Amino acid sequence: MNQTIEVSDLNVSYYGNQALKDVSFSLQTGNLIGIIGPNGAGKSTLIKAMLHLIPIESGTISINEQPVKNLRRNIAYVPQRSDIDWDFPITVKNTVLLGTYPNIKLFRRPTKADKEWALYCLEKVGMGNFANRQIAELSGGQQQRVFLARALAQKTDFLLLDEPFVGIDAASEEMMINILRSLRDEGKTVMVVNHDLSKVEAYFDELILLNHTLVATGPVHDVIRPEIMSKAYHTNLNMIQQMGVFS
Amino acid sequence: MMNFIADLQQYDFLQTALITSIMVGIICGVIGSFIIIRGLALMGDAISHAILPGVAISYMLGINYFYGAVLFGIVSAVGIELVSQNSRIKSDSAIGIVFTAFFALGVLLISKAQTATDLTQILFGSVLSVRQSDMIITLIISIIVLLVVVLFYKELLISTFDETMAAAYGLPTKWIHYVIMILLTLTTVASLQTVGVVLVVAMLITPASTAYLLTNKFSVMIMLAAFFGALSSVIGLYISLEHNLESGAVIVLVATCLFLLAFIFSPKQGVLWRLFRSKNKGML
Amino acid sequence: MRNKLALLLVAVLVAMSLVACSNGEKKEEVINKEGENSEKLQVVTSFTIIEDMAKEIGGDLVDVYNLVPTGTDPHEYSPLPNDIKAATDADVLFYNGLNLEGGEHGWFAKMIDATSQDWAVTYELAEDIEPMFITSEDGKEEEINPHAFLDPVVGIEMTKKVRDAFIEVDPDNEATYEENAEIYLEKLIEIHEQYQTFIEKIPEENRTLVTSERAYQYLAARYGLREGYIWAIDTEENGSPEQIKSLLTFLEETSPPVLFIETNVDKRPMETISRESGIEIFGEIFSDEIGNPGEEGDTYLKYLQYNIDVIYQGLKGK
């Protein structure tokens, strides 16, 4: 029995500007899915809308015929690094511990087991030695890994990451994509908003190509085709080629 | 010092003042921690001014000013939210629009209510004239504030640190925001007695900022802020008694002194330590 | 954990040092307060005029602590720590009433409540005075005029209240209070008679007292003076264009020989009136408070005397 993520006729506007128009797609779960498109194409808007973090004008989002609102605790979200107040007085360890909160009942505190689980997730992203640091003391890549650890701590079947690879070092990126792959191999669904076209082929199984409307969706090789890409990017193929898409 | 203790035993009003100002110091520190982290310092100032019409109306109706003040505090918080959420107006401008309107209305109503005399007390507070009944209301407010923070600490923490994640897993972040606004209003109203409208914002921001410079743990920050708030109240009250000075103003200045000490000597954020470090680096 | 403890320690040390710094001074005062005359009746008065009365009638039997000093508005006062201590320790307290100290929500009432002082020993001196009302220009606001004490006859009533209060709290010394009050009342009656004769000597058409604030309502009613004033109710808008215009019209109708100005108000509005009307400002008279010690009008008697002298000199005509 295959599970699917269904988005149909999704419309989202900000102050009268239409950010997403009639976006519909249906994707298999258990894949590593990239969301790509030019700047301002509505990539982040799409995943925020899918989580109902922003009001949607019309459309439905469901996973396996369940409205996504009912499944929120089964979805982990990793925000863009710029959305976080890095001066917040919180240590790395406690940041990851926040990932256990959705599964802790009201009025309850994290247990010892929760804390151990958080540390385990931290080890998994190779940040165990930084547990007691304040989050601003980390490099960009380390910060991103900590937030991935937090998502892992949520023990969800779905992970949504917003531009996780922006401004981070190669080693961190490598480590993160490996973790995302192993999650996929465990049968989880990972959706990643990605800006850098050079690595889409290597990273993702499926792609969603956006430019306010849905331009294309499907297996990577069906989407990364010059005639399709140029439709989204409104630019000549040379540019795209220079960006290293078609190797 | 001995005089202070002897006076405390002798004078009921001093006990009332001390207990009230300690409670106010504590809840201001706690709520102030949320306020400064959420970038709502201006909101504290706004609410303290916006409650003025509530105070006037309470006097007209002959009821305790707490009720009107709390009502108008909440109404103004909702108003600010409505303006900033439903238009492109940024929230600091929305705050400016709403609170000045309420304050102006308050000035008009106060003059109509013929309570110009009370305006001074509301603006500057008078912790030494706190009545027993006001102390009890302060106690109730403190219990409510602390209880809510303790019970919902998890939710408050996560929605303060990462509102998006909180909303993503289904927390009602908008309601949490309103809960914080209600707590802020309650705290502000309680503080009116000790420091008054003009200086409330100092009690909200200064002890919390002092704590912010000293720790990397939010829970510790809250406790330190509460401690500094209470400490400022006690020392301030003591100095004001010894020297026959206006208590509210002295309390605020003590809080400022504590902040300056942290600002200079804080092991992580302190100016002195940074200077020292950068010098050492230079030598290397 | 060790960090936190260290922090706490630092904080406590800071507290201690602040406390230590402020500890050195002011000891004397406290010693004085306790060592001195603990047998004397401790009296607290709300403002200078009552302070003076209480001293006159209480004499050596009482210690008077006054709350609102000269130069401070008794409507809006924020009691200082020593004020409240004194109020707590007081055996008897006097205040004017007629909302001078802010009425039932005002600072005085709040202070009495906060100190859990007994209202039974807190005497309102103007209790039996029939209140007169002042109205704002638009007629929308009306409030009690608290300035009854400018009328010597009211002063007489207030003195009797003080005397009776002292006797009530300290019956052992009834004779002394009676005697002191007797002497004081005689002087007040003398001044009252002076007010009567002086004002009678002023030509009828000159009997108009023009001041900045309508503080002299009781006085004017008692002795048959017409009142001219810029503002009735003391607000933030004293001397507005409408107020100035309305007084100028009044001056045209009544043409008083001179204008007066109070010692404790903003002089500019009256100077404008003087320029516009061509009527000179004759001099200053007292309204809310008596003069500083050693200066003109530093007792209630001198204050009343001074006022009638200036008013008479100004209005008697050529």
Side-chain angles (χ1 to χ4, degrees), chain B residues 25-34 36 203-212 215 218-232:
Chain B
I26 290 174
I27 56 175
C28 277
V30 172
I31 295 305
S33 299
F34 286 100
I36 66 163
M203 285 310 283
L204 282 169
I205 293 171
T206 311
S209 301
T210 311
Y212 186 45
T215 177
F218 191 54
S219 54
V220 177
M221 172 178 167
I222 292 176
M223 284 187 268
L224 276 179
F227 173 71
F228 289 135
L231 189 69
S232 311

PDB file of all heavy atoms in Angstrom, chain B residues 25-34 36 203-212 215 218-232:
ATOM      1  N   GLY B  25       8.610  42.835  42.165  1.00  0.00           N
ATOM      2  CA  GLY B  25       9.942  42.612  41.612  1.00  0.00           C
ATOM      3  C   GLY B  25      10.047  41.227  40.984  1.00  0.00           C
ATOM      4  O   GLY B  25      10.602  41.070  39.887  1.00  0.00           O
ATOM      5  N   ILE B  26       9.501  40.246  41.657  1.00  0.00           N
ATOM      6  CA  ILE B  26       9.588  38.869  41.154  1.00  0.00           C
ATOM      7  C   ILE B  26       8.810  38.719  39.843  1.00  0.00           C
ATOM      8  O   ILE B  26       9.358  38.263  38.832  1.00  0.00           O
ATOM      9  CB  ILE B  26       9.066  37.878  42.217  1.00  0.00           C
ATOM     10  CG1 ILE B  26      10.055  37.811  43.381  1.00  0.00           C
ATOM     11  CG2 ILE B  26       8.871  36.492  41.603  1.00  0.00           C
ATOM     12  CD1 ILE B  26       9.589  36.992  44.559  1.00  0.00           C
ATOM     13  N   ILE B  27       7.554  39.122  39.842  1.00  0.00           N
ATOM     14  CA  ILE B  27       6.774  38.870  38.613  1.00  0.00           C
ATOM     15  C   ILE B  27       7.255  39.744  37.469  1.00  0.00           C
ATOM     16  O   ILE B  27       7.219  39.327  36.317  1.00  0.00           O
ATOM     17  CB  ILE B  27       5.244  38.992  38.826  1.00  0.00           C
ATOM     18  CG1 ILE B  27       4.858  40.335  39.405  1.00  0.00           C
ATOM     19  CG2 ILE B  27       4.740  37.856  39.682  1.00  0.00           C
ATOM     20  CD1 ILE B  27       3.359  40.517  39.497  1.00  0.00           C
ATOM     21  N   CYS B  28       7.746  40.941  37.771  1.00  0.00           N
ATOM     22  CA  CYS B  28       8.305  41.771  36.705  1.00  0.00           C
ATOM     23  C   CYS B  28       9.512  41.080  36.083  1.00  0.00           C
ATOM     24  O   CYS B  28       9.689  41.098  34.873  1.00  0.00           O
ATOM     25  CB  CYS B  28       8.740  43.134  37.243  1.00  0.00           C
ATOM     26  SG  CYS B  28       7.405  44.301  37.346  1.00  0.00           S
ATOM     27  N   GLY B  29      10.349  40.473  36.922  1.00  0.00           N
ATOM     28  CA  GLY B  29      11.510  39.767  36.394  1.00  0.00           C
ATOM     29  C   GLY B  29      11.090  38.610  35.502  1.00  0.00           C
ATOM     30  O   GLY B  29      11.632  38.416  34.406  1.00  0.00           O
ATOM     31  N   VAL B  30      10.106  37.856  35.965  1.00  0.00           N
ATOM     32  CA  VAL B  30       9.665  36.672  35.217  1.00  0.00           C
ATOM     33  C   VAL B  30       9.062  37.076  33.877  1.00  0.00           C
ATOM     34  O   VAL B  30       9.489  36.606  32.811  1.00  0.00           O
ATOM     35  CB  VAL B  30       8.640  35.864  36.055  1.00  0.00           C
ATOM     36  CG1 VAL B  30       8.038  34.757  35.221  1.00  0.00           C
ATOM     37  CG2 VAL B  30       9.312  35.302  37.293  1.00  0.00           C
ATOM     38  N   ILE B  31       8.087  37.970  33.920  1.00  0.00           N
ATOM     39  CA  ILE B  31       7.423  38.369  32.677  1.00  0.00           C
ATOM     40  C   ILE B  31       8.373  39.186  31.801  1.00  0.00           C
ATOM     41  O   ILE B  31       8.403  39.035  30.589  1.00  0.00           O
ATOM     42  CB  ILE B  31       6.129  39.150  32.989  1.00  0.00           C
ATOM     43  CG1 ILE B  31       5.133  38.237  33.700  1.00  0.00           C
ATOM     44  CG2 ILE B  31       5.499  39.698  31.713  1.00  0.00           C
ATOM     45  CD1 ILE B  31       4.808  36.948  32.946  1.00  0.00           C
ATOM     46  N   GLY B  32       9.196  40.011  32.467  1.00  0.00           N
ATOM     47  CA  GLY B  32      10.176  40.808  31.719  1.00  0.00           C
ATOM     48  C   GLY B  32      11.093  39.928  30.877  1.00  0.00           C
ATOM     49  O   GLY B  32      11.468  40.289  29.761  1.00  0.00           O
ATOM     50  N   SER B  33      11.449  38.745  31.407  1.00  0.00           N
ATOM     51  CA  SER B  33      12.310  37.847  30.646  1.00  0.00           C
ATOM     52  C   SER B  33      11.666  37.462  29.325  1.00  0.00           C
ATOM     53  O   SER B  33      12.321  37.451  28.277  1.00  0.00           O
ATOM     54  CB  SER B  33      12.601  36.581  31.456  1.00  0.00           C
ATOM     55  OG  SER B  33      13.272  36.907  32.651  1.00  0.00           O
ATOM     56  N   PHE B  34      10.382  37.149  29.372  1.00  0.00           N
ATOM     57  CA  PHE B  34       9.684  36.810  28.123  1.00  0.00           C
ATOM     58  C   PHE B  34       9.609  38.026  27.206  1.00  0.00           C
ATOM     59  O   PHE B  34       9.792  37.919  25.997  1.00  0.00           O
ATOM     60  CB  PHE B  34       8.264  36.302  28.422  1.00  0.00           C
ATOM     61  CG  PHE B  34       8.241  34.923  28.995  1.00  0.00           C
ATOM     62  CD1 PHE B  34       8.098  34.722  30.353  1.00  0.00           C
ATOM     63  CD2 PHE B  34       8.386  33.814  28.169  1.00  0.00           C
ATOM     64  CE1 PHE B  34       8.091  33.449  30.894  1.00  0.00           C
ATOM     65  CE2 PHE B  34       8.377  32.538  28.694  1.00  0.00           C
ATOM     66  CZ  PHE B  34       8.237  32.354  30.062  1.00  0.00           C
ATOM     67  N   ILE B  36      11.546  40.767  26.968  1.00  0.00           N
ATOM     68  CA  ILE B  36      12.735  41.243  26.254  1.00  0.00           C
ATOM     69  C   ILE B  36      13.182  40.234  25.200  1.00  0.00           C
ATOM     70  O   ILE B  36      13.653  40.611  24.142  1.00  0.00           O
ATOM     71  CB  ILE B  36      13.905  41.637  27.182  1.00  0.00           C
ATOM     72  CG1 ILE B  36      14.462  40.443  27.928  1.00  0.00           C
ATOM     73  CG2 ILE B  36      13.520  42.733  28.142  1.00  0.00           C
ATOM     74  CD1 ILE B  36      15.841  40.750  28.504  1.00  0.00           C
ATOM     75  N   MET B 203      11.148  48.248  35.480  1.00  0.00           N
ATOM     76  CA  MET B 203      11.113  47.032  36.283  1.00  0.00           C
ATOM     77  C   MET B 203      10.956  45.794  35.410  1.00  0.00           C
ATOM     78  O   MET B 203      11.400  44.714  35.756  1.00  0.00           O
ATOM     79  CB  MET B 203       9.948  47.081  37.283  1.00  0.00           C
ATOM     80  CG  MET B 203      10.190  47.994  38.462  1.00  0.00           C
ATOM     81  SD  MET B 203      11.766  47.689  39.249  1.00  0.00           S
ATOM     82  CE  MET B 203      11.410  46.202  40.182  1.00  0.00           C
ATOM     83  N   LEU B 204      10.296  45.952  34.268  1.00  0.00           N
ATOM     84  CA  LEU B 204      10.118  44.812  33.369  1.00  0.00           C
ATOM     85  C   LEU B 204      11.421  44.489  32.646  1.00  0.00           C
ATOM     86  O   LEU B 204      11.775  43.332  32.466  1.00  0.00           O
ATOM     87  CB  LEU B 204       9.034  45.120  32.336  1.00  0.00           C
ATOM     88  CG  LEU B 204       7.592  45.022  32.813  1.00  0.00           C
ATOM     89  CD1 LEU B 204       6.657  45.602  31.778  1.00  0.00           C
ATOM     90  CD2 LEU B 204       7.221  43.568  33.086  1.00  0.00           C
ATOM     91  N   ILE B 205      12.110  45.530  32.219  1.00  0.00           N
ATOM     92  CA  ILE B 205      13.226  45.308  31.307  1.00  0.00           C
ATOM     93  C   ILE B 205      14.567  45.194  32.021  1.00  0.00           C
ATOM     94  O   ILE B 205      15.371  44.327  31.699  1.00  0.00           O
ATOM     95  CB  ILE B 205      13.273  46.453  30.272  1.00  0.00           C
ATOM     96  CG1 ILE B 205      12.047  46.367  29.387  1.00  0.00           C
ATOM     97  CG2 ILE B 205      14.515  46.350  29.426  1.00  0.00           C
ATOM     98  CD1 ILE B 205      11.888  47.538  28.493  1.00  0.00           C
ATOM     99  N   THR B 206      14.791  46.045  33.014  1.00  0.00           N
ATOM    100  CA  THR B 206      16.145  46.111  33.564  1.00  0.00           C
ATOM    101  C   THR B 206      16.580  44.826  34.283  1.00  0.00           C
ATOM    102  O   THR B 206      17.621  44.270  33.937  1.00  0.00           O
ATOM    103  CB  THR B 206      16.294  47.358  34.456  1.00  0.00           C
ATOM    104  OG1 THR B 206      15.795  48.485  33.739  1.00  0.00           O
ATOM    105  CG2 THR B 206      17.732  47.607  34.810  1.00  0.00           C
ATOM    106  N   PRO B 207      15.802  44.310  35.247  1.00  0.00           N
ATOM    107  CA  PRO B 207      16.274  43.079  35.894  1.00  0.00           C
ATOM    108  C   PRO B 207      16.399  41.913  34.907  1.00  0.00           C
ATOM    109  O   PRO B 207      17.354  41.136  34.983  1.00  0.00           O
ATOM    110  CB  PRO B 207      15.196  42.776  36.940  1.00  0.00           C
ATOM    111  CG  PRO B 207      14.516  44.077  37.177  1.00  0.00           C
ATOM    112  CD  PRO B 207      14.561  44.796  35.869  1.00  0.00           C
ATOM    113  N   ALA B 208      15.475  41.829  33.964  1.00  0.00           N
ATOM    114  CA  ALA B 208      15.534  40.744  32.980  1.00  0.00           C
ATOM    115  C   ALA B 208      16.775  40.895  32.102  1.00  0.00           C
ATOM    116  O   ALA B 208      17.439  39.907  31.772  1.00  0.00           O
ATOM    117  CB  ALA B 208      14.271  40.727  32.126  1.00  0.00           C
ATOM    118  N   SER B 209      17.102  42.132  31.741  1.00  0.00           N
ATOM    119  CA  SER B 209      18.294  42.349  30.926  1.00  0.00           C
ATOM    120  C   SER B 209      19.556  42.011  31.703  1.00  0.00           C
ATOM    121  O   SER B 209      20.506  41.460  31.152  1.00  0.00           O
ATOM    122  CB  SER B 209      18.369  43.801  30.459  1.00  0.00           C
ATOM    123  OG  SER B 209      17.224  44.118  29.722  1.00  0.00           O
ATOM    124  N   THR B 210      19.556  42.340  32.977  1.00  0.00           N
ATOM    125  CA  THR B 210      20.698  41.993  33.823  1.00  0.00           C
ATOM    126  C   THR B 210      20.896  40.481  33.796  1.00  0.00           C
ATOM    127  O   THR B 210      22.007  39.991  33.580  1.00  0.00           O
ATOM    128  CB  THR B 210      20.435  42.453  35.273  1.00  0.00           C
ATOM    129  OG1 THR B 210      20.005  43.812  35.248  1.00  0.00           O
ATOM    130  CG2 THR B 210      21.679  42.328  36.119  1.00  0.00           C
ATOM    131  N   ALA B 211      19.804  39.766  33.984  1.00  0.00           N
ATOM    132  CA  ALA B 211      19.877  38.306  33.991  1.00  0.00           C
ATOM    133  C   ALA B 211      20.330  37.773  32.631  1.00  0.00           C
ATOM    134  O   ALA B 211      21.110  36.822  32.545  1.00  0.00           O
ATOM    135  CB  ALA B 211      18.518  37.721  34.363  1.00  0.00           C
ATOM    136  N   TYR B 212      19.868  38.412  31.580  1.00  0.00           N
ATOM    137  CA  TYR B 212      20.178  37.993  30.207  1.00  0.00           C
ATOM    138  C   TYR B 212      21.685  38.008  29.978  1.00  0.00           C
ATOM    139  O   TYR B 212      22.227  37.188  29.233  1.00  0.00           O
ATOM    140  CB  TYR B 212      19.461  38.957  29.256  1.00  0.00           C
ATOM    141  CG  TYR B 212      19.525  38.615  27.785  1.00  0.00           C
ATOM    142  CD1 TYR B 212      19.304  37.327  27.330  1.00  0.00           C
ATOM    143  CD2 TYR B 212      19.772  39.609  26.850  1.00  0.00           C
ATOM    144  CE1 TYR B 212      19.340  37.037  25.977  1.00  0.00           C
ATOM    145  CE2 TYR B 212      19.799  39.331  25.493  1.00  0.00           C
ATOM    146  CZ  TYR B 212      19.598  38.045  25.062  1.00  0.00           C
ATOM    147  OH  TYR B 212      19.626  37.776  23.728  1.00  0.00           O
ATOM    148  N   THR B 215      23.529  34.537  31.896  1.00  0.00           N
ATOM    149  CA  THR B 215      23.277  33.101  31.786  1.00  0.00           C
ATOM    150  C   THR B 215      22.952  32.673  30.364  1.00  0.00           C
ATOM    151  O   THR B 215      22.561  33.483  29.539  1.00  0.00           O
ATOM    152  CB  THR B 215      22.120  32.676  32.715  1.00  0.00           C
ATOM    153  OG1 THR B 215      21.870  31.280  32.515  1.00  0.00           O
ATOM    154  CG2 THR B 215      20.854  33.444  32.400  1.00  0.00           C
ATOM    155  N   PHE B 218      17.483  29.729  29.751  1.00  0.00           N
ATOM    156  CA  PHE B 218      16.326  30.598  29.901  1.00  0.00           C
ATOM    157  C   PHE B 218      15.702  30.464  31.289  1.00  0.00           C
ATOM    158  O   PHE B 218      15.328  31.455  31.910  1.00  0.00           O
ATOM    159  CB  PHE B 218      15.297  30.270  28.814  1.00  0.00           C
ATOM    160  CG  PHE B 218      14.190  31.277  28.722  1.00  0.00           C
ATOM    161  CD1 PHE B 218      14.463  32.624  28.564  1.00  0.00           C
ATOM    162  CD2 PHE B 218      12.865  30.882  28.800  1.00  0.00           C
ATOM    163  CE1 PHE B 218      13.453  33.556  28.477  1.00  0.00           C
ATOM    164  CE2 PHE B 218      11.841  31.808  28.712  1.00  0.00           C
ATOM    165  CZ  PHE B 218      12.131  33.139  28.552  1.00  0.00           C
ATOM    166  N   SER B 219      15.625  29.228  31.788  1.00  0.00           N
ATOM    167  CA  SER B 219      15.005  29.051  33.113  1.00  0.00           C
ATOM    168  C   SER B 219      15.821  29.773  34.184  1.00  0.00           C
ATOM    169  O   SER B 219      15.272  30.381  35.097  1.00  0.00           O
ATOM    170  CB  SER B 219      14.872  27.569  33.442  1.00  0.00           C
ATOM    171  OG  SER B 219      16.127  26.940  33.323  1.00  0.00           O
ATOM    172  N   VAL B 220      17.148  29.714  34.036  1.00  0.00           N
ATOM    173  CA  VAL B 220      18.006  30.409  35.000  1.00  0.00           C
ATOM    174  C   VAL B 220      17.825  31.914  34.849  1.00  0.00           C
ATOM    175  O   VAL B 220      17.772  32.654  35.826  1.00  0.00           O
ATOM    176  CB  VAL B 220      19.481  30.021  34.787  1.00  0.00           C
ATOM    177  CG1 VAL B 220      20.375  30.799  35.734  1.00  0.00           C
ATOM    178  CG2 VAL B 220      19.657  28.526  34.992  1.00  0.00           C
ATOM    179  N   MET B 221      17.692  32.359  33.604  1.00  0.00           N
ATOM    180  CA  MET B 221      17.494  33.784  33.360  1.00  0.00           C
ATOM    181  C   MET B 221      16.237  34.280  34.075  1.00  0.00           C
ATOM    182  O   MET B 221      16.243  35.324  34.729  1.00  0.00           O
ATOM    183  CB  MET B 221      17.373  34.033  31.860  1.00  0.00           C
ATOM    184  CG  MET B 221      16.964  35.454  31.509  1.00  0.00           C
ATOM    185  SD  MET B 221      16.885  35.701  29.728  1.00  0.00           S
ATOM    186  CE  MET B 221      16.021  37.260  29.658  1.00  0.00           C
ATOM    187  N   ILE B 222      15.162  33.493  33.975  1.00  0.00           N
ATOM    188  CA  ILE B 222      13.917  33.900  34.627  1.00  0.00           C
ATOM    189  C   ILE B 222      14.110  34.004  36.138  1.00  0.00           C
ATOM    190  O   ILE B 222      13.710  34.979  36.770  1.00  0.00           O
ATOM    191  CB  ILE B 222      12.791  32.895  34.296  1.00  0.00           C
ATOM    192  CG1 ILE B 222      12.435  33.001  32.825  1.00  0.00           C
ATOM    193  CG2 ILE B 222      11.573  33.135  35.165  1.00  0.00           C
ATOM    194  CD1 ILE B 222      11.408  32.001  32.377  1.00  0.00           C
ATOM    195  N   MET B 223      14.796  32.993  36.692  1.00  0.00           N
ATOM    196  CA  MET B 223      14.972  33.010  38.147  1.00  0.00           C
ATOM    197  C   MET B 223      15.868  34.161  38.580  1.00  0.00           C
ATOM    198  O   MET B 223      15.599  34.840  39.569  1.00  0.00           O
ATOM    199  CB  MET B 223      15.517  31.665  38.612  1.00  0.00           C
ATOM    200  CG  MET B 223      14.428  30.595  38.620  1.00  0.00           C
ATOM    201  SD  MET B 223      14.990  29.061  39.335  1.00  0.00           S
ATOM    202  CE  MET B 223      15.577  28.209  37.890  1.00  0.00           C
ATOM    203  N   LEU B 224      16.945  34.378  37.819  1.00  0.00           N
ATOM    204  CA  LEU B 224      17.827  35.500  38.152  1.00  0.00           C
ATOM    205  C   LEU B 224      17.090  36.827  38.038  1.00  0.00           C
ATOM    206  O   LEU B 224      17.242  37.713  38.877  1.00  0.00           O
ATOM    207  CB  LEU B 224      19.035  35.515  37.211  1.00  0.00           C
ATOM    208  CG  LEU B 224      20.201  34.612  37.580  1.00  0.00           C
ATOM    209  CD1 LEU B 224      21.298  34.745  36.529  1.00  0.00           C
ATOM    210  CD2 LEU B 224      20.755  34.965  38.946  1.00  0.00           C
ATOM    211  N   ALA B 225      16.294  36.960  36.989  1.00  0.00           N
ATOM    212  CA  ALA B 225      15.559  38.209  36.782  1.00  0.00           C
ATOM    213  C   ALA B 225      14.609  38.457  37.954  1.00  0.00           C
ATOM    214  O   ALA B 225      14.514  39.574  38.470  1.00  0.00           O
ATOM    215  CB  ALA B 225      14.791  38.156  35.471  1.00  0.00           C
ATOM    216  N   ALA B 226      13.944  37.398  38.389  1.00  0.00           N
ATOM    217  CA  ALA B 226      13.044  37.526  39.531  1.00  0.00           C
ATOM    218  C   ALA B 226      13.830  37.935  40.770  1.00  0.00           C
ATOM    219  O   ALA B 226      13.429  38.811  41.537  1.00  0.00           O
ATOM    220  CB  ALA B 226      12.318  36.203  39.773  1.00  0.00           C
ATOM    221  N   PHE B 227      14.998  37.300  40.911  1.00  0.00           N
ATOM    222  CA  PHE B 227      15.844  37.614  42.060  1.00  0.00           C
ATOM    223  C   PHE B 227      16.298  39.081  42.021  1.00  0.00           C
ATOM    224  O   PHE B 227      16.218  39.800  43.015  1.00  0.00           O
ATOM    225  CB  PHE B 227      17.048  36.671  42.078  1.00  0.00           C
ATOM    226  CG  PHE B 227      18.077  37.014  43.110  1.00  0.00           C
ATOM    227  CD1 PHE B 227      17.813  36.818  44.466  1.00  0.00           C
ATOM    228  CD2 PHE B 227      19.305  37.541  42.740  1.00  0.00           C
ATOM    229  CE1 PHE B 227      18.764  37.143  45.418  1.00  0.00           C
ATOM    230  CE2 PHE B 227      20.259  37.877  43.688  1.00  0.00           C
ATOM    231  CZ  PHE B 227      19.991  37.677  45.028  1.00  0.00           C
ATOM    232  N   PHE B 228      16.753  39.525  40.863  1.00  0.00           N
ATOM    233  CA  PHE B 228      17.207  40.915  40.753  1.00  0.00           C
ATOM    234  C   PHE B 228      16.051  41.897  40.966  1.00  0.00           C
ATOM    235  O   PHE B 228      16.240  42.952  41.562  1.00  0.00           O
ATOM    236  CB  PHE B 228      17.867  41.173  39.399  1.00  0.00           C
ATOM    237  CG  PHE B 228      19.205  40.513  39.245  1.00  0.00           C
ATOM    238  CD1 PHE B 228      19.548  39.834  38.079  1.00  0.00           C
ATOM    239  CD2 PHE B 228      20.125  40.558  40.277  1.00  0.00           C
ATOM    240  CE1 PHE B 228      20.772  39.219  37.944  1.00  0.00           C
ATOM    241  CE2 PHE B 228      21.356  39.943  40.154  1.00  0.00           C
ATOM    242  CZ  PHE B 228      21.685  39.264  38.985  1.00  0.00           C
ATOM    243  N   GLY B 229      14.883  41.532  40.465  1.00  0.00           N
ATOM    244  CA  GLY B 229      13.719  42.389  40.663  1.00  0.00           C
ATOM    245  C   GLY B 229      13.410  42.539  42.144  1.00  0.00           C
ATOM    246  O   GLY B 229      13.215  43.648  42.655  1.00  0.00           O
ATOM    247  N   ALA B 230      13.412  41.413  42.835  1.00  0.00           N
ATOM    248  CA  ALA B 230      13.099  41.449  44.262  1.00  0.00           C
ATOM    249  C   ALA B 230      14.198  42.177  45.029  1.00  0.00           C
ATOM    250  O   ALA B 230      13.926  42.993  45.914  1.00  0.00           O
ATOM    251  CB  ALA B 230      12.945  40.017  44.786  1.00  0.00           C
ATOM    252  N   LEU B 231      15.448  41.894  44.649  1.00  0.00           N
ATOM    253  CA  LEU B 231      16.583  42.530  45.321  1.00  0.00           C
ATOM    254  C   LEU B 231      16.524  44.056  45.144  1.00  0.00           C
ATOM    255  O   LEU B 231      16.729  44.808  46.103  1.00  0.00           O
ATOM    256  CB  LEU B 231      17.891  41.983  44.737  1.00  0.00           C
ATOM    257  CG  LEU B 231      19.167  42.370  45.470  1.00  0.00           C
ATOM    258  CD1 LEU B 231      19.227  41.693  46.831  1.00  0.00           C
ATOM    259  CD2 LEU B 231      20.398  42.005  44.655  1.00  0.00           C
ATOM    260  N   SER B 232      16.226  44.500  43.928  1.00  0.00           N
ATOM    261  CA  SER B 232      16.120  45.945  43.688  1.00  0.00           C
ATOM    262  C   SER B 232      15.048  46.546  44.589  1.00  0.00           C
ATOM    263  O   SER B 232      15.224  47.637  45.131  1.00  0.00           O
ATOM    264  CB  SER B 232      15.739  46.231  42.234  1.00  0.00           C
ATOM    265  OG  SER B 232      16.544  45.526  41.362  1.00  0.00           O
TER     266      SER B 232
END
